[in-house]
Amino acid sequence: MTNAFSEISGSTLQILSQSIGQNLGLHFPEGKWPDLRRALEKAAPSLGFDSIQSCANWFIGTNDPSRIERLIQFLTVGETHFFRDTKLFQALEEKFLPEIVNLRRLDSRSLKIWSAGCATGEEPYSLAIVLSRMLPDLFGWNVTILATDINREFLSKAEKGVYSDWSFRSVPQDIRRDFFESKGDHSVLNPDIKKMVTFTEHNLAKDPYPSTLPYVGSMDLIFCRNVIMYFSMERQEQIISKLADCLVDGGLLVVSPAEASSVTRSDLIPVNYPGIVLFRKSTSESRAKPLNPLLFSSLVETPEPVQNSDDNPFVWNFVPPTLTIPDFVQPEAFVPYPEETPEAAEQELSPYVEGLNLYDQGRYAEAIEVLLGYVSFNGNQHSGTALSLLSRAYANLGKLDEALDWAQKSVNADKLNAEYHYLEATILQEMGRNQETATCLQKAVFLNPDLAAAHFALANVSLRMNNRKLSDRHFRIALSVLGNYDHEDAVPSTEGMSAGKLIEIITSMLRKEKSA
């Protein structure tokens, strides 16, 4: 593209961003003008303009909202695939959907699910596939899966149910074999799965709901991932509030990790489950917010980021080595952990939520008092979740000895939980105990090879210990893992740091080491 093609005035971008906000509800402040420019660079040739300035002038040269709506297909991102976020869908299939199904089986035998911001349909169709696998008597159920998006082009593709190989990355072959028919270079969705989903155009910011949107109201489950980030903070809170109004009491709201901080309604209670972010609507529980991890930055001094490069030699090409099972995960090393009864879980929920709420408010001493009573009352009948929260609270008060003690107790409660080993490592690092830090991180990455934060931390600790070979290895593994994320996705256990940002940091450090 020529310079003349890409030239546009700041005043034009300002007017265009205002028009988009007024007509579409999407938020493009000055910091996002590069995204707006890129959208215009795609729109201009498609609409027959020889420059983005003339294209922008056309969009803003009328009061007709239908014209600005044509920009939607170039502004929103349709990057998705089937069963995106494997942990989430596994948790839904193994725990959360069975709970809902068991309740509904006793009365209405109906399920209502909404995929808000469904893009090209992979998400709602994945949910349909999960339900078809869970319910052998599906024909006897009244199942509604509503899928909405602001982008008409995306919806048109979704309704066809035809997908390329790119939509099936990380999808088990048996799912593709059982639910799709191969036709040339594409796969066609099974008609029975396809008819389970209803698609309709809808703007979460501008269109009214729940009362005027078909099927919405008393939803059991709402997916709204990587959607509200397109809106202003004020609009985000409004959207979350409306979504909550659409949920039945006990219903679940699923958002992306990067959007969890926008969920501030007092009746949306965070559900603590490893590796996923969801909230349960409860009209009786007190307000609580997501658990904040220990400061990720305590493990490494962040260098200046480098610009993305198309010829980056480090990204996406590393194949993780075969790992040998260490002694600490041999079966004989464990004592079976008592299974928590449903009755105990019901009784114990409120004290833990109270402690979590106090922690989130920065009232760590009060949180510790509540949580100590909680774990003392329940003896061994609790998971490592409360123990790890105690550890974090003590750490944030600077009481590292106590923090380490509770971190180790959380590990003993669930030796196969990688995040507990990672937590112990962060505290040991704060105490300057590098060798023990490295040992804990090695356990974490063995238990969860996809925990990029642990690979990154292990690389940095190894670098401090002058083991450049091991450091380089784990930097590269981290990059390989991050290749499975979209650049905007928040990386688990990093306080919301995006995958793109972490890739920049690692690449910068690798280049620095290479030139040293």
Side-chain angles (χ1 to χ4, degrees):
M1 295 182 183
T2 65
N3 289 334
F5 174 87
S6 298
E7 289 179 354
I8 187 171
S9 69
S11 59
T12 301
L13 287 172
Q14 183 176 15
I15 294 171
L16 181 60
S17 66
Q18 290 172 349
S19 180
I20 291 170
Q22 292 169 0
N23 290 283
L24 305 178
L26 303 179
H27 187 52
F28 283 89
E30 188 172 355
K32 290 187 177 180
W33 283 3
D35 296 333
L36 199 53
R37 180 188 291 272
R38 282 189 289 271
L40 289 169
E41 288 176 346
K42 292 185 291 183
S46 176
L47 298 174
F49 293 98
D50 58 5
S51 70
I52 65 173
Q53 179 70 57
S54 58
C55 182
N57 289 340
W58 180 79
F59 279 121
I60 62 180
T62 178
N63 292 324
D64 182 6
S66 63
R67 182 177 292 189
I68 202 73
E69 287 174 2
R70 295 187 63 179
L71 190 54
I72 289 174
Q73 62 183 294
F74 305 103
L75 288 172
T76 54
V77 178
E79 171 56 32
T80 186
H81 53 86
F82 285 99
F83 295 92
R84 182 178 179 181
D85 192 343
T86 304
K87 286 184 178 179
L88 171 59
F89 278 95
Q90 183 178 0
L92 287 172
E93 186 167 3
E94 295 179 357
K95 176 175 174 58
F96 296 108
L97 281 175
E99 290 176 352
I100 297 172
V101 166
N102 289 336
L103 287 174
R104 297 292 177 268
R105 193 182 293 277
L106 299 176
D107 46 50
S108 62
R109 295 178 69 86
S110 66
L111 289 171
K112 298 178 72 176
I113 298 173
W114 181 11
S115 172
C118 66
T120 47
E122 287 91 335
E123 179 178 272
Y125 284 142
S126 296
L127 290 165
I129 290 171
V130 167
L131 286 176
S132 71
R133 285 157 38 119
M134 285 179 52
L135 297 172
D137 57 341
L138 182 62
F139 65 90
W141 284 73
N142 180 17
V143 175
T144 298
I145 302 178
L146 175 66
T148 64
D149 201 276
I150 193 175
N151 192 318
R152 296 172 188 170
E153 296 292 328
F154 290 168
L155 293 172
S156 177
K157 179 178 179 180
E159 289 176 328
K160 293 175 182 177
V162 179
Y163 296 94
S164 65
D165 288 345
W166 187 243
S167 292
F168 295 94
R169 53 195 188 277
S170 303
V171 175
Q173 284 298 317
D174 63 322
I175 289 180
R176 191 168 184 179
R177 181 189 65 241
D178 295 343
F179 296 97
F180 295 84
E181 180 183 355
S182 179
K183 290 191 176 181
D185 296 333
H186 292 80
S187 296
V188 180
L189 183 66
N190 182 300
D192 291 334
I193 299 298
K194 185 178 175 183
K195 68 183 181 182
M196 291 175 65
V197 181
T198 300
F199 292 95
T200 188
E201 183 180 348
H202 185 257
N203 184 328
L204 288 169
K206 303 291 289 186
D207 296 335
Y209 59 100
S211 60
T212 59
L213 187 61
Y215 309 109
V216 166
S218 302
M219 284 284 171
D220 296 298
L221 173 65
I222 297 177
F223 265 57
C224 189
R225 298 189 298 166
N226 303 306
V227 176
I228 62 173
M229 64 177 62
Y230 287 104
F231 303 103
S232 66
M233 290 301 297
E234 181 181 359
R235 285 285 178 93
Q236 289 181 23
E237 291 184 3
Q238 293 171 354
I239 291 170
I240 291 295
S241 183
K242 287 186 176 182
L243 292 176
D245 290 339
C246 296
L247 283 169
V248 67
D249 192 33
L252 297 171
L253 172 65
V254 181
V255 298
S256 72
E259 297 166 323
S261 61
S262 299
V263 183
T264 58
R265 277 236 335 202
S266 60
D267 57 350
L268 291 176
I269 310 301
V271 178
N272 292 288
Y273 197 86
I276 66 174
V277 177
L278 53 80
F279 297 81
R280 190 187 302 276
K281 183 177 179 180
S282 174
T283 57
S284 59
E285 292 292 348
S286 60
R287 179 173 178 170
K289 296 180 182 178
L291 180 66
N292 290 327
L294 277 173
L295 287 176
F296 176 67
S297 56
S298 66
L299 285 171
V300 59
E301 293 182 8
T302 304
E304 290 296 318
V306 298
Q307 297 296 318
N308 285 333
S309 172
D310 293 336
D311 59 351
N312 186 340
F314 304 115
V315 185
W316 326 135
N317 298 320
F318 183 80
V319 178
T322 301
L323 298 174
T324 303
I325 299 178
D327 292 339
F328 80 93
V329 294
Q330 295 297 336
E332 59 268 23
F334 301 113
V335 176
Y337 195 75
E339 183 176 353
E340 184 178 26
T341 65
E343 293 78 12
E346 181 70 24
Q347 294 172 357
E348 296 163 7
L349 175 62
S350 293
Y352 176 76
V353 170
E354 181 183 0
L356 180 61
N357 191 29
L358 290 168
Y359 176 93
D360 185 70
Q361 296 174 31
R363 297 158 62 181
Y364 303 123
E366 294 172 68
I368 288 170
E369 183 178 357
V370 171
L371 291 167
L372 284 175
Y374 170 76
V375 298
S376 175
F377 177 78
N378 291 291
N380 289 329
Q381 297 295 317
H382 53 72
S383 68
T385 307
L387 306 178
S388 66
L389 184 55
L390 262 170
S391 174
R392 296 175 193 276
Y394 274 116
N396 286 337
L397 289 175
K399 298 181 177 181
L400 297 183
D401 289 334
E402 292 90 339
L404 180 61
D405 181 51
W406 287 104
Q408 290 171 340
K409 288 178 180 178
S410 69
V411 169
N412 290 333
D414 186 357
K415 291 185 174 69
L416 298 182
N417 189 310
E419 293 184 0
Y420 295 163
H421 289 281
Y422 177 76
L423 171 62
E424 184 181 2
T426 63
I427 298 167
L428 288 166
Q429 177 60 37
E430 283 288 297
M431 301 172 79
R433 294 158 63 172
N434 287 336
Q435 185 57 60
E436 293 169 81
T437 300
T439 299
C440 289
L441 290 171
Q442 286 168 346
K443 294 177 181 180
V445 298
F446 174 81
L447 292 169
N448 183 1
D450 293 330
L451 190 57
H455 284 293
F456 179 52
L458 182 54
N460 280 283
V461 172
S462 300
L463 195 58
R464 292 194 183 104
M465 297 170 67
N466 296 317
N467 190 337
R468 296 197 175 192
K469 183 176 180 180
L470 186 62
S471 174
D472 182 79
R473 175 189 180 194
H474 284 283
F475 273 140
R476 293 172 184 270
I477 296 176
L479 288 173
S480 178
V481 173
L482 291 169
N484 297 316
Y485 289 80
D486 292 335
H487 269 51
E488 303 82 12
D489 288 346
V491 181
S493 301
T494 64
E495 283 198 319
M497 181 182 292
S498 70
K501 180 70 173 180
L502 188 51
I503 288 171
E504 287 182 1
I505 292 172
I506 295 173
T507 303
S508 173
M509 297 185 76
L510 283 170
R511 286 177 175 167
K512 183 177 179 180
E513 287 303 307
K514 186 177 181 181
S515 61

